[in-house]
Amino acid sequence: MKDIGEMVERSKTVFRRIIVPLDGSKKAERAIPVAAQLARASGGTIVFVRVVLPPMEYGKFSAPRLNAEEKQLYERSRSQATSYLAAMLLNHAYELVGIETEIGVATGLVAPTIFSVARRERANLIVLCGQEAAGVKRLMFGSVADEAILHSPVPVLALHDNGRAPFLPGAAHPLHVVVALDGSAQSASVVEAAVQLLAALAGSGQAILHLLRAIDLPREEALQEAETYLKNIVDRLHANNELSEKITITTTVIAEEDVAKAIALVGQDIERTEGPDANVVVVMAEEEHGKLWRLLMGSVTAWALHSTHFPLLVVHPHAVNNDVVGHEKTLKNQP
C-alpha cells in the first residue's frame, strides 16, 4: 500500500495549475477556498480570471462618437476587472497564503473564453461555483457551469451556489468521493482522478472512495455483471498499489436507470450516517454524445449537477477546439 505522502506526490501532476473564473460576485468567490486547498496540497498555482465582453462593432456607417464611447466603456471594464482581481487577492490573502497566484483579464464570451484561457495556461483543472439562471434566461443561455461540464477542455470541479463548501480544513467527517460508473472504459478512467483528488484533499485524515454502478435492468445477470465490473476495478487498484492505507473503498450497485437519482441515494445514505455536514464530492465522466442527443436527452452530468447539492468533478474524454480569444495576463502575485 502507498502511504498518503506518495499519493499526494502523484496528485501534484494533476492539480498543478488551477483556473478559477470570477465574475465579481460573492457566490463565485466561494470557489476560492476550495481551489486554495487543492493548490496547497499539490504545490500548484491558481490563475484567477475575469472575463469582459469585447467592444461592440457598429459598422463603418456608425457615428464615430458611438464607437469611441463603446471603446471607452470596454477599457473601463477591463480596468475595473483588473482592480477587482487585485483587491480579491488582498481580501482572500489568509486563504491564499503560501500559494502562487496569478490574475488575468480576458475578452470574449464567458464560457468559450474561460476554455481558451485554460488551454493557453495549460491548466489541469477549472474550479467554479455555478450560479443558477432562472426561467427564460436559463432556457436561452444556460449557465457557465453547464457549459463547462459539457465543453471544457480540462476537468471541471463545479460547486453549488447555495450548497456548502466541501472538503475544507478541519472538516469533522471523512471525505467521501462517490464515483459514478456506467460500465464503460471511459467512465472507469475517472477512478484514478478520484483517487488523486482524495489524496490531495484528505490530508492525514480518513477518506472513503465509493464506486457506484447504476443499472436499468434489475435482473440477476445484470446485477452480477455490474458487481464483477466493480470488483475488477477494486482489484486493479489494489494490485497497482494505487490506494493509500487512509483510503477505504466501497462498491454499490443500484437498480436505477437515472444515474443522478442513484448518486442522490448514495449521498443521502452518507448523510443519514454522518448528518447534514457530511463531506461528499461526486466524480463522473462526461459522456460522448452528439448535439442532437444532448438536445433531446440532456447530459447526465448536467442532471447530476442540478439534481444534487454535492460538488461535482467532471472529467472529459476529449478537448474542444475553440480559438484563443483576447487573453492577457495583467498581474502576477507570488508569495
Side-chain angles (χ1 to χ4, degrees), residues 111-120 126 147-148 151-153 320 322:
T113 303
I114 291 170
F115 305 155
S116 296
V117 171
R119 284 194 301 272
R120 183 166 178 170
I126 296 173
E147 286 293 305
H151 304 301
S152 172
V320 294
N322 294 324

Side-chain angles (χ1 to χ4, degrees), residues 112-185:
T113 303
I114 291 170
F115 305 155
S116 296
V117 171
R119 284 194 301 272
R120 183 166 178 170
E121 293 294 325
R122 297 183 178 180
N124 310 104
L125 180 69
I126 296 173
V127 180
L128 55 78
C129 186
Q131 299 194 51
E132 292 284 354
V136 175
K137 184 178 180 181
R138 178 170 179 81
L139 180 64
M140 295 178 65
F141 301 107
S143 72
V144 173
D146 290 331
E147 286 293 305
I149 282 175
L150 293 175
H151 304 301
S152 172
V154 300
V156 174
L157 179 58
L159 314 176
H160 286 264
D161 61 351
N162 57 356
R164 58 186 176 275
F167 39 76
L168 296 181
H173 301 289
L175 173 62
H176 297 262
V177 172
V178 179
V179 186
L181 302 164
D182 63 9
S184 68

Side-chain angles (χ1 to χ4, degrees), residues 45-263:
T45 299
I46 302 177
V47 181
F48 295 103
V49 179
R50 180 81 184 266
V51 178
V52 298
L53 295 176
M56 186 177 296
E57 296 292 339
Y58 291 98
K60 63 182 179 179
F61 299 112
S62 62
R65 178 181 176 184
L66 195 61
N67 282 330
E69 289 179 351
E70 182 66 25
K71 290 178 181 178
Q72 288 176 359
L73 178 61
Y74 165 70
E75 292 300 332
R76 186 159 58 250
S77 295
R78 284 189 63 88
S79 177
Q80 290 171 348
T82 302
S83 298
Y84 161 74
L85 292 174
M88 180 275 307
L89 291 182
L90 293 175
N91 294 340
H92 294 270
Y94 177 78
E95 295 158 310
L96 298 171
V97 64
I99 299 172
E100 183 176 344
T101 59
E102 301 174 12
I103 66 174
V105 177
T107 302
L109 298 177
V110 177
T113 303
I114 291 170
F115 305 155
S116 296
V117 171
R119 284 194 301 272
R120 183 166 178 170
E121 293 294 325
R122 297 183 178 180
N124 310 104
L125 180 69
I126 296 173
V127 180
L128 55 78
C129 186
Q131 299 194 51
E132 292 284 354
V136 175
K137 184 178 180 181
R138 178 170 179 81
L139 180 64
M140 295 178 65
F141 301 107
S143 72
V144 173
D146 290 331
E147 286 293 305
I149 282 175
L150 293 175
H151 304 301
S152 172
V154 300
V156 174
L157 179 58
L159 314 176
H160 286 264
D161 61 351
N162 57 356
R164 58 186 176 275
F167 39 76
L168 296 181
H173 301 289
L175 173 62
H176 297 262
V177 172
V178 179
V179 186
L181 302 164
D182 63 9
S184 68
Q186 176 179 306
S187 70
S189 68
V190 306
V191 174
E192 180 155 349
V195 170
Q196 290 168 339
L197 182 72
L198 275 169
L201 294 172
S204 59
Q206 290 294 129
I208 302 173
L209 177 66
H210 302 266
L211 301 182
L212 167 65
R213 176 77 170 94
I215 59 175
D216 55 3
L217 296 174
R219 295 199 303 262
E220 185 63 29
E221 181 180 349
L223 290 169
Q224 290 180 353
E225 182 179 338
E227 290 170 355
T228 300
Y229 167 77
L230 294 179
K231 182 179 183 300
N232 288 338
I233 293 176
V234 175
D235 290 344
R236 189 205 70 193
L237 290 171
H238 287 300
N240 295 339
N241 290 324
E242 294 182 14
L243 292 178
S244 161
E245 293 179 353
K246 295 288 186 178
I247 298 176
T248 302
I249 187 167
T250 69
T251 62
T252 304
V253 178
I254 295 181
E256 173 58 66
E257 62 179 339
D258 185 337
V259 177
K261 186 175 180 180
I263 292 170

